Amino acid sequence: MSTDVGTAAPPRATRREWLGLAVLALPTMLIAMDLTVLHLALPTLAADLRPGNAELLWIVDIYGFLIAGFLITMGAIGDRIGRRRLLLAGAVAFGVASVLSAFAVNAAMLIAARALLGVAGSTLMPSTLSLIRIMFRDPRQQGAAIGAWTGFFGLGTVVGPLVGGAFLELFSWGSVFLLGVPVMLLLLVSGPLVLPEYRDESVSRPDPISVIMSIAGVLALVFGLKRIAEDGLRPESGIAVVAGLALAALFLRRQGRLRQPLVDLSLFRTGLFGTALGMLVLATLLSAGSQFFVMQYLQLVRGLSPLQAGLWSLPTTVAMMIGAMAAPGLTSRVKLSALLAGGLVVAAAGMVLLIQVSGPSDLYAAVTGTAVIGLGLGPMISLGTGLIVGAAPPERAGAASAMASTGTELGSALGVAVIGSVGFAVYRANLADTLPEGLPAPVVAAARDTLAAAVNVARELPAVRGSALLSAARTAFVHGLQATAIVGAALAALLAVLAVTLLRDARTPGPPPPAEADDAAQSFEKTHD
């Protein structure tokens, strides 16, 4: 009898669980939208609120910084108080912060509202992913659900510019923040009907010192990396990165001494958890780094509007969704390590296509290259996330999913910082050799800073000299894009080799052991309303 129970297939999801997944996809997509939509509103926002340079940077960055900083803490809190409860509380906070952002009367109020948005957003990502772990017990269905979750996050990054651009054509800058209000209202109404509750009563309150160390460490690291990408390596950005790494080391040391740590280091003992997390970070790095340069190519080299650039980015998002959602179904026929390695080889091929981009006329090569990259990285992002969450016991799924989300945030920051630094170094070196002679020193300094600055100062010059500067800057930027593609192709190929060697024995997450499954079921019954 016990053998029958132990070998029983895990329960398959019903229509209610799939409806719950659709509900969970909404906040996931909204978080991604809010990471991108503000960039479109900056010109009118700046004209209205007149923020200083430092205030403008904080308006843009504070949201992403606080999402990254609070993810681990919110994952642990969700394990203790209930993941659905945390999700719904975060939805209320997100809706309130969206309204405050939309009707901010000065820069300080907008910064504070965006900070609250970031904290609220950090409750949504680990809650959605960890609930998927509980709702979908069948391995194939769980993989498909996580693939869909990944795809909707990618979709949000493209829908943001499209919807935001449309709203800004009709309404004021504050309208882009109000997009989140109806989504959060829908989540609050439908969440209690289709989402289960799950919590672990044995989890103690998060250690306050660990909370402070994790938030400060992640904030310092992400801040330093973003500043390196934007301004190059400067003392303040270097100090921030070193401080972040030092706090991370002290944080991990403290976790090893606590009875109930914020991050359960035992998850890393099997090797699979840490390997999957590391490869997820690098895959996200590739995705963010390539998109960072290609989006600038579309707008500043090709000359497309933000709305047009968003439309031309749709093939990349669709391709990544196809890769992410198709991969789980292929694991029954293709070995996991071979599937991941094959996807990374495809991503490397997409990077090679980007190397062929030589000027404004190569739009199709740029779009096709990034679409192929997205298709190849989709399996690693969805299955890697599934491996991370599946390696954790159900009672620690919140913390594990928070670590996966934190890894994604760090990967994005690293992609912009590392890949961006390579590209901008090549840009500046090429521009120094091709700049027209006789330009004023302030114009040269601005043009060497970024391509966007070069485009702006070129408009203020006489037509002939402005055209010469613009041509030189665009050519230098394309050389930088080619350099980033070469680095990306090499990294993708290396990751393919690592997938074959380090993940050769990995399997898609299976059902939990019988005792663990019984505990999960009992907890579900006690906490489900």
Side-chain angles (χ1 to χ4, degrees), residues 14-403:
T14 65
R15 181 168 27 171
R16 177 176 178 175
E17 279 73 36
W18 290 110
L19 287 173
L21 176 63
V23 171
L24 293 177
L26 294 175
T28 301
M29 189 167 66
L30 183 65
I31 293 169
M33 288 175 59
D34 264 39
L35 286 168
T36 59
V37 72
L38 179 64
H39 294 281
L40 296 176
L42 281 180
T44 53
L45 182 156
D48 189 11
L49 300 185
R50 300 186 181 278
N53 288 334
E55 290 176 320
L56 191 61
L57 287 174
W58 280 113
I59 289 172
V60 173
D61 290 337
I62 192 66
Y63 175 74
F65 284 172
L66 290 183
I67 282 183
F70 276 87
L71 277 170
I72 293 176
T73 297
M74 292 303 179
I77 291 175
D79 286 337
R80 175 177 170 78
I81 70 170
R83 295 165 192 165
R84 188 182 68 184
R85 180 179 297 177
L86 180 66
L87 177 66
L88 298 181
V92 173
F94 199 97
V96 171
S98 296
V99 173
L100 292 175
S101 298
F103 296 101
V105 296
N106 54 50
M109 180 178 175
L110 183 55
I111 291 171
R114 290 275 292 170
L116 179 58
L117 267 178
V119 176
S122 70
T123 69
L124 304 179
M125 289 183 70
S127 297
T128 55
L129 192 52
S130 58
L131 282 171
I132 289 173
R133 170 82 161 92
I134 299 303
M135 292 160 57
F136 296 89
R137 306 285 294 283
D138 178 79
R140 291 188 186 180
Q141 289 188 325
Q142 186 180 113
I146 291 176
W149 181 89
T150 304
F152 274 100
F153 185 83
L155 181 62
T157 62
V158 173
V159 171
L162 295 177
V163 177
F167 267 60
L168 289 170
E169 290 288 332
L170 301 172
F171 309 109
S172 69
W173 60 264
S175 63
V176 299
F177 295 110
L178 295 177
L179 293 171
V181 176
V183 173
M184 292 300 116
L185 288 174
L186 179 60
L187 176 60
L188 288 171
V189 172
S190 59
L193 301 177
V194 296
L195 298 178
E197 181 61 285
Y198 184 92
R199 59 178 173 267
D200 182 9
E201 301 289 356
S202 66
V203 175
S204 62
R205 291 183 180 179
D207 173 50
I209 297 177
S210 295
V211 169
I212 294 171
M213 293 174 70
S214 70
I215 293 171
V218 173
L219 285 177
L221 187 58
V222 174
F223 174 83
L225 291 172
K226 285 179 69 71
R227 288 294 172 264
I228 289 173
E230 293 167 358
D231 305 320
L233 183 59
R234 295 185 177 183
E236 61 271 21
S237 57
I239 291 172
V241 170
V242 171
L245 293 174
L247 282 168
L250 291 173
F251 171 78
L252 293 175
R253 184 179 179 184
R254 182 174 181 82
Q255 300 315 291
R257 297 177 175 179
L258 294 175
R259 266 184 147 181
Q260 291 194 334
L262 196 62
V263 172
D264 188 356
L265 299 183
S266 65
L267 295 173
F268 291 89
R269 289 175 185 166
T270 62
L272 176 60
F273 185 90
T275 300
L277 182 60
M279 294 190 71
L280 178 63
V281 170
L282 293 175
T284 310
L285 180 152
L286 281 174
S287 176
S290 61
Q291 289 184 13
F292 175 69
F293 263 79
V294 170
M295 285 300 292
Q296 291 186 80
Y297 167 84
L298 294 176
Q299 296 183 66
L300 300 175
V301 176
R302 179 70 182 186
L304 302 179
S305 69
L307 184 59
Q308 290 172 323
L311 287 170
W312 278 104
S313 298
L314 282 175
T316 301
T317 301
V318 172
M320 180 171 282
M321 290 183 69
I322 291 173
M325 298 178 71
L330 295 174
T331 55
S332 61
R333 289 175 283 176
V334 182
K335 189 177 179 181
L336 180 61
S337 58
L339 179 60
L340 295 177
L344 290 164
V345 170
V346 170
M351 293 290 182
V352 172
L353 284 175
L354 284 186
I355 298 173
Q356 312 308 311
V357 176
S358 59
S361 62
D362 295 320
L363 173 64
Y364 292 108
V367 173
T368 303
T370 50
V372 173
I373 293 168
L375 179 66
L377 293 179
M380 182 70 245
I381 293 175
S382 65
L383 295 178
T385 302
L387 285 173
I388 293 167
V389 178
E395 68 273 9
R396 299 299 292 161
S401 60
M403 291 187 69

